Amino acid sequence: MKNFSFFIKKIFFKRWILSITLIFFLLSANFLIFTAVRSLFLTRGGYDEMSRLNKNGIFVSNLDPSNAEFDVTSVEPKRINGVYDYIDKNFKYALHNEGDLITIPNDKSMDVPLVYMNKEYYDLNGLKSKVGKKLYFDYSLKSDKIPVFVGAGLSKNYPIGAEIKTEIPALGRKVTLKVQGILKKNECHANYYALNSMSYYNYSIIIPINKEFFMKANSAFKVDTMLETIIINGSKESVSNLSKEIHDEWKIKVNFNSQKENNEFFEDYYVYRMRLIVILTIIFLAIIIGVSIWNAVVCVRLMKKDFTINLLVGMSYKELKKILYKSFAIIFTLNILVVSVYSAMCRVIAWKSKNALVASYGFLGLASNEWLGVLAMILVDSLIGVIIVECIVKRIKKIPISLGVMQ
């Protein structure tokens, strides 16, 4: 313990400004490693989901950036149905809309997002329930209760068969929802244009929309839904004509891109971002390795007399190596804990802020992709720790020690 304390005080923190700087670089490198690995696994999940859309004939709508200030309530109701009549005559299409929030009792007091989808989107998306049957679309608003899926977070308050009486913003009136299925934990949906961005459905309600529901929905809902419509059997020419039809009727520009084009748009900035993260991480790790070795060797040279006479009498290089490994293990472990606790706190803040679309479950507050990030930090830190220690010992062996007690 005395020798260990000596190393910490006289070598690692002899130049305390330099030591704190190295710890900062290590913390930065670990954070970049954690962020990169977490993002890569989220992106892989996004690609898996969007692979269902990455087929010939499928096009995803998107409001052109030039119309960013567009108000969905500004379109005249009589002009709305004309566009959908055109779509009905020429295409098979999938409808999806998420954004409405309702307030119903639940254990976390979350505002609950409503996720609307028609059968075509449901079949295309592959949404799965942990408990219950498939989502049912053949119902009547006049005589039936709307069958819905609920997220895992709502399952305690609303199990299978439970009824929820609430106002649906899309319809502008109260209806009765009947729970038909419960989604698995952390069921989520990726953004079409940012595949590493996920909306979690733990506190969402999935509402099936059929023809009757859609016809009775308000105008704002219909316009907003068009901005996320997926054309299933289109061509470049046909979706271009559809875009012109929308522009003529609604005076806005809506683009229709294949998912391959959306992926390429995503990759343009994502690959650049990941390349930057990798380069910065390598630079930080190189600085940590180089400066740590240089600092330790210089300190040993400057304190050669103390090394020989006061502390290292009888010490072998093997024992020296153990002390070095222990020292770096403590420093690396503390850094990994800081990054892990920070990430867990971000999750806690998401729950505390009642943001249902980012609230996800995980062991000790970390989701599975984040635990992979922790594992990556441990592996990389272990590797550079071995490199640093072995290089330090090798360099120290070349330093003449006056009494030769370490031979």
Side-chain angles (χ1 to χ4, degrees):
M1 187 65 187
K2 183 178 179 181
N3 291 334
F4 177 74
S5 177
F6 171 79
F7 265 82
I8 292 294
K9 293 178 181 179
K10 300 298 183 181
I11 295 181
F12 289 113
F13 288 107
K14 182 175 179 62
R15 294 178 173 86
W16 64 271
I17 295 179
L18 180 62
S19 299
I20 292 175
T21 303
L22 282 175
I23 291 174
F24 171 77
F25 277 123
L26 180 60
L27 192 62
S28 299
N30 278 331
F31 183 77
L32 290 173
I33 292 167
F34 177 84
T35 300
V37 172
R38 177 181 61 183
S39 179
L40 285 171
F41 278 91
L42 284 173
T43 302
R44 189 187 70 173
Y47 272 107
D48 288 344
E49 180 184 341
M50 294 307 159
S51 64
R52 304 182 183 96
L53 304 181
N54 199 0
K55 299 175 183 177
N56 290 333
I58 295 181
F59 296 86
V60 181
S61 66
N62 178 36
L63 183 66
D64 191 88
S66 63
N67 298 114
E69 303 299 322
F70 171 67
D71 181 3
V72 295
T73 63
S74 63
V75 181
E76 297 179 23
K78 64 181 180 180
R79 291 188 172 273
I80 293 174
N81 291 335
V83 170
Y84 279 101
D85 288 341
Y86 181 89
I87 296 176
D88 284 332
K89 291 177 182 177
N90 294 280
F91 302 102
K92 181 180 179 183
Y93 55 97
L95 299 179
H96 171 251
N97 186 307
E98 56 185 64
D100 286 340
L101 294 175
I102 62 171
T103 302
I104 59 174
N106 60 80
D107 59 347
K108 297 295 183 181
S109 300
M110 292 275 191
D111 285 336
V112 175
L114 300 181
V115 180
Y116 306 92
M117 60 182 67
N118 68 351
K119 190 175 188 305
E120 285 72 20
Y121 183 88
Y122 174 69
D123 293 339
L124 200 61
N125 177 265
L127 192 70
K128 296 179 180 178
S129 62
K130 179 182 178 181
V131 181
K133 304 175 183 179
K134 290 185 176 180
L135 202 57
Y136 180 69
F137 291 82
D138 190 17
Y139 64 87
S140 170
L141 285 176
K142 292 181 179 179
S143 57
D144 298 330
K145 297 162 185 175
I146 301 178
V148 298
F149 281 176
V150 298
L154 295 173
S155 60
K156 291 182 180 179
N157 301 101
Y158 305 101
I160 297 290
E163 295 183 359
I164 307 169
K165 293 183 179 181
T166 185
E167 181 173 329
I168 298 297
L171 295 174
R173 65 183 179 87
K174 283 193 174 183
V175 297
T176 300
L177 311 176
K178 187 170 184 178
V179 179
Q180 182 181 358
I182 297 170
L183 300 176
K184 63 181 181 180
K185 283 186 176 181
N186 292 340
E187 184 73 20
C188 57
H189 168 59
N191 187 293
Y192 302 118
Y193 320 100
L195 304 184
N196 60 338
S197 176
M198 298 290 176
S199 297
Y200 289 92
Y201 289 159
N202 289 314
Y203 279 84
S204 294
I205 296 178
I206 310 299
I207 298 181
I209 56 176
N210 54 26
K211 190 70 174 179
E212 180 189 5
F213 184 105
F214 192 76
M215 293 304 295
K216 292 185 177 180
N218 59 47
S219 299
F221 174 81
K222 292 178 181 178
V223 175
D224 192 42
T225 301
M226 173 53 65
L227 306 182
E228 294 188 51
T229 295
I230 300 172
I231 300 299
I232 297 175
N233 60 339
S235 65
K236 273 292 183 181
E237 182 181 359
S238 63
V239 295
S240 178
N241 291 334
L242 174 56
S243 182
K244 291 177 183 176
E245 179 72 17
I246 295 172
H247 185 270
D248 291 342
E249 293 291 330
W250 297 356
K251 309 305 178 188
I252 60 169
K253 184 178 180 181
V254 175
N255 301 316
F256 288 87
N257 298 319
S258 67
Q259 191 55 44
K260 180 181 178 182
E261 291 173 319
N262 290 337
N263 290 352
E264 290 171 353
F265 169 81
F266 167 72
E267 289 162 4
D268 282 344
Y269 78 86
Y270 186 74
V271 171
Y272 169 79
R273 179 170 172 262
M274 291 304 296
R275 187 185 293 122
L276 181 62
I277 288 176
V278 170
I279 292 172
L280 286 175
T281 302
I282 291 173
I283 291 173
F284 288 160
L285 293 180
I287 291 172
I288 292 165
I289 293 171
V291 176
S292 295
I293 295 170
W294 173 82
N295 183 52
V297 173
V298 168
C299 287
V300 170
R301 286 183 181 277
L302 293 176
M303 301 181 63
K304 186 164 58 176
K305 182 177 179 181
D306 293 325
F307 239 73
T308 303
I309 297 175
N310 296 325
L311 292 173
L312 299 180
V313 175
M315 178 180 288
S316 66
Y317 285 117
K318 184 177 181 180
E319 291 169 320
L320 172 62
K321 190 181 292 186
K322 286 182 179 178
I323 292 174
L324 288 170
Y325 273 122
K326 185 177 180 181
S327 302
F328 280 104
I330 291 173
I331 293 172
F332 289 160
T333 299
L334 289 175
N335 272 269
I336 291 171
L337 283 174
V338 169
V339 176
S340 301
V341 170
Y342 171 78
S343 181
M345 288 303 298
C346 289
R347 291 291 181 186
V348 170
I349 291 171
W351 285 94
K352 293 290 186 183
S353 64
K354 312 299 181 184
N355 191 340
L357 292 177
V358 298
S360 63
Y361 294 101
F363 179 66
L364 297 179
L366 296 178
S368 57
N369 55 75
E370 291 170 326
W371 280 112
L372 291 170
V374 172
L375 177 61
M377 287 192 294
I378 293 172
L379 293 175
V380 173
D381 284 3
S382 298
L383 176 61
I384 65 172
V386 170
I387 293 172
I388 291 172
V389 171
E390 294 299 327
C391 288
I392 288 176
V393 173
K394 186 177 180 180
R395 293 287 298 274
I396 289 177
K397 282 182 178 181
K398 295 180 180 180
I399 299 174
I401 304 282
S402 59
L403 297 180
V405 296
M406 294 182 67
Q407 302 300 324

